[in-house]
Amino acid sequence: MKTAAGEITPLWRNRDYNVLWVSQVVSELGAAMSQLAFPLLVIFGSGSVVEIGVVVSARAAARFVAGLPAGALADRYSRKKIMLCCRGTLVVGYTSLVVALLFGAATFPHILATTILAGAASALFGPAEEAALPSIVPRSQLSTTVARNTARTYLAGLIGPAVGGALFGIHRVLPFLVDAVTSALSFVGLLFVRLPHRRVERDTNLGQEMWAGLVWVARQRAIAATLVWVVLSNTVFSAMLVPILAMSGEKDTPPGELGLMMTTLSVGGLIGAAIAPRLHAALPAPVIVIGVSWIAALLTPLLAFCSTALQFGLVLAMVMVFAPTANTTIITYQMMTAPDEFRGRTRGAVRLGTGMAGALGPMLGGVLTAVTGGRNVVLVCVAALLVVAVATTASPTIRGLAGKDR
């Protein structure tokens, strides 16, 4: 991390981080391709609506269930070995599905098991990677690495589904074959990432360590406050997408325009990830968190005047431009505040919270849309974001956030 003269090595010359980042870009692109292909496989197979719902929900459920032990495992065992096991397991799982599809032997339980495996592997990988970052990059570069990791997720979301759908149209096995190959490439890349050896000796079992991690997070007022902010913001934002999609569908919006709306969100996120390091360095942490809260609260009322999917997408994209800066600030703060022995569990708790938000938000949005109508739900979500902004501004804990990496 430092040159012979004692200078900090530029991030672009940090071999271990760049190998890790490239290997994960490749893997996340493959995952984004196959994630769309799983429901398509059922649609063009049995066509069962129930099976489609089960396949879509199973991946999210697996991520949620594996989210809590993931952090404890990352604090207990070798983080590099955890990452390698996750990628290696995916190679085996996707290869088995590819072979079954080629020989016409793929069954619904096999498809379901593979998507569950993918969700669990993703949940286990995340805290291990994030907890290892401070061992790879110096404190002064951590916020930039967090922003770059955020960018790769938006990049995968921008490119992956479109390419995955096109590959499925050529042959249904191709998205899964690509994911198997990208997982293998990621596995090979991880072999060359150097992490310091961690010797962890514990007298407690995994369940006790999971509980200890939750207690520790709850006692850290600043970490707990930022976790609540993330969960509330993500819940409201994900709930808002459902009525927007429903209103667009009522107007017989072409699928291509709906896809363009989601693409616009990813573009906004990519732009935001590009500017996040500069904004993070220029502004205090409280200003960022409170400011992003108010930006969301003041921009989303424009949704009431939107009539097309593209207009909805542009408004939401403006909000997404600033979201990565808040995420970068919060994640960096949490990672630098948490000691190494609790870092995995801290990130595991956050991922568990965002998983809950991702599952609960669309469910609430769907139920409320069915009962009251899409436009009313959008207004409720706008009001909820206003409440979050007011509460965030009034919180002495948020206002007292210190930049641990500065």
Side-chain angles (χ1 to χ4, degrees):
M1 294 190 299
K2 290 188 177 181
T3 64
E7 299 176 350
I8 295 178
T9 304
L11 197 57
W12 64 271
R13 291 177 55 193
N14 187 324
R15 169 192 172 278
D16 294 304
Y17 172 69
N18 287 318
V19 170
L20 176 63
W21 192 85
V22 171
S23 69
Q24 294 318 108
V25 168
V26 170
S27 180
E28 288 191 22
L29 281 172
M33 294 179 199
S34 66
Q35 186 168 358
L36 174 65
F38 276 107
L40 290 178
L41 199 58
V42 178
I43 290 172
F44 291 96
S46 67
S48 168
V49 177
V50 174
E51 290 184 355
I52 294 170
V54 169
V55 164
V56 173
S57 300
R59 194 183 192 107
R63 290 173 64 97
F64 176 76
V65 171
L68 189 56
L73 289 170
D75 286 337
R76 187 182 183 100
Y77 300 109
S78 165
R79 289 159 182 167
K80 180 175 179 177
K81 289 181 180 179
I82 291 174
M83 291 188 283
L84 285 169
C85 286
C86 289
R87 290 293 173 254
T89 302
L90 285 180
V91 174
V92 174
Y94 280 118
T95 300
S96 72
L97 183 58
V98 167
V99 172
L101 288 171
L102 288 174
F103 287 91
T107 62
F108 178 71
H110 191 170
I111 297 170
L112 184 62
T114 307
T115 194
I116 289 174
L117 181 68
S122 174
L124 293 169
F125 188 98
E129 181 198 9
E130 291 169 342
L133 278 180
S135 300
I136 299 175
V137 300
R139 178 187 295 260
S140 61
Q141 295 175 345
L142 187 59
S143 60
T144 302
T145 65
V146 172
R148 289 188 181 185
N149 287 1
T150 301
R152 78 186 186 206
T153 301
Y154 286 115
L155 181 64
L158 180 65
I159 299 174
V163 176
L167 290 175
F168 190 92
I170 298 172
H171 196 292
R172 62 179 185 166
V173 79
L174 286 178
F176 306 104
L177 177 61
V178 170
D179 206 347
V181 172
T182 55
S183 296
L185 291 173
S186 178
F187 179 90
V188 173
L190 288 169
L191 290 173
F192 295 93
V193 176
R194 297 168 299 190
L195 288 176
H197 176 70
R198 298 173 65 249
R199 183 178 179 83
V200 181
E201 296 181 359
R202 307 215 187 261
D203 298 326
T204 54
N205 59 41
L206 190 64
Q208 291 172 318
E209 290 175 23
M210 290 163 56
W211 176 250
L214 289 176
V215 171
W216 187 87
V217 169
R219 288 177 176 173
Q220 309 304 308
R221 294 183 60 185
I223 291 179
T226 54
L227 174 56
V228 170
W229 184 87
V230 168
V231 171
L232 291 177
S233 300
N234 285 354
T235 299
V236 176
F237 200 79
S238 58
M240 188 183 296
L241 289 177
V242 176
I244 288 174
L245 289 171
M247 287 188 293
S248 298
E250 290 171 359
K251 298 178 180 179
D252 296 323
T253 302
E257 188 172 338
L258 290 176
L260 182 59
M261 180 182 77
M262 302 309 294
T263 299
T264 304
L265 290 179
S266 295
V267 171
L270 274 174
I271 294 172
I275 64 175
R278 291 183 179 275
L279 290 179
H280 172 81
L283 300 172
V287 172
I288 291 173
V289 178
I290 294 172
V292 171
S293 300
W294 281 105
I295 287 171
L298 296 176
L299 284 179
T300 49
L302 295 175
L303 294 170
F305 304 97
C306 295
S307 58
T308 67
L310 182 57
Q311 290 173 347
F312 283 123
L314 289 173
V315 172
L316 295 176
M318 286 191 289
V319 179
M320 292 302 297
V321 166
F322 299 97
T325 300
N327 289 337
T328 296
T329 299
I330 289 173
I331 292 173
T332 302
Y333 179 86
Q334 292 170 345
M335 292 173 66
M336 296 310 302
T337 301
D340 184 72
E341 62 268 25
F342 280 106
R343 195 172 290 140
R345 281 169 285 182
T346 299
R347 293 306 305 152
V350 173
R351 282 178 169 265
L352 183 68
T354 55
M356 290 175 57
L360 182 61
M363 185 188 307
L364 287 174
V367 171
L368 291 175
T369 299
V371 174
T372 66
R375 194 161 294 278
N376 290 331
V377 178
V378 170
L379 294 177
V380 169
C381 290
V382 168
L385 288 174
L386 180 61
V387 172
V388 170
V390 171
T392 303
T393 306
S395 169
T397 303
I398 295 294
R399 295 201 308 270
L401 284 178
K404 292 283 182 178
D405 62 321
R406 304 180 190 208

